[in-house]
Amino acid sequence: MDISSSGATQSSTVRDSHRTQELDQAQRRVREGARRQSGADEAVISDKGQLLKKLGEAVRDSSDVRDEKVAELRAAIEHGRYQLSYAEIAKALLASRTK
């Protein structure tokens, strides 16, 4: 499993989510101004709720998900054959931070 390539995708996803959040906030301010003028009631989903929804969609739509690899790892975990190398995980995390 290549952890290093997921760092770029994750930072891109986070960056995109920040942009989306900024746009959502601007749209919300416009809607709130219009609502005050019209006196209409409105339900608004919190920023955190909207962000969680968008992040979930981004993960679901990601082309980085390899179904066969996920199934293989799931089976290994269920049968107790999956071994973690904490040293390799640490190396990959540090390498992704220096890029």
Side-chain angles (χ1 to χ4, degrees):
M1 182 159 113
D2 182 14
I3 294 175
S4 62
S5 67
S6 66
T9 302
Q10 288 174 349
S11 67
S12 174
T13 302
V14 170
R15 196 171 34 254
D16 291 345
S17 70
H18 286 295
R19 285 187 205 129
T20 302
Q21 188 176 15
E22 290 171 0
L23 288 171
D24 288 345
Q25 288 173 349
Q27 290 172 342
R28 188 174 304 111
R29 285 191 296 268
V30 169
R31 285 192 311 261
E32 287 173 359
R35 188 189 75 219
R36 279 188 221 118
Q37 291 175 357
S38 70
D41 290 334
E42 181 179 322
V44 178
I45 298 173
S46 71
D47 290 342
K48 187 175 183 179
Q50 291 179 7
L51 178 61
L52 287 172
K53 179 182 179 215
K54 288 180 180 159
L55 287 174
E57 290 170 352
V59 168
R60 187 178 57 245
D61 297 340
S62 173
S63 62
D64 292 344
V65 177
R66 295 177 288 166
D67 293 330
E68 66 281 350
K69 186 68 173 179
V70 171
E72 180 184 312
L73 289 171
R74 183 174 286 136
I77 292 167
E78 287 174 358
H79 294 99
R81 293 178 285 146
Y82 184 73
Q83 299 293 319
L84 291 175
S85 170
Y86 298 108
E88 290 299 317
I89 293 170
K91 286 179 191 176
L93 287 172
L94 290 173
S96 72
R97 299 298 267 163
T98 59
K99 290 183 179 181

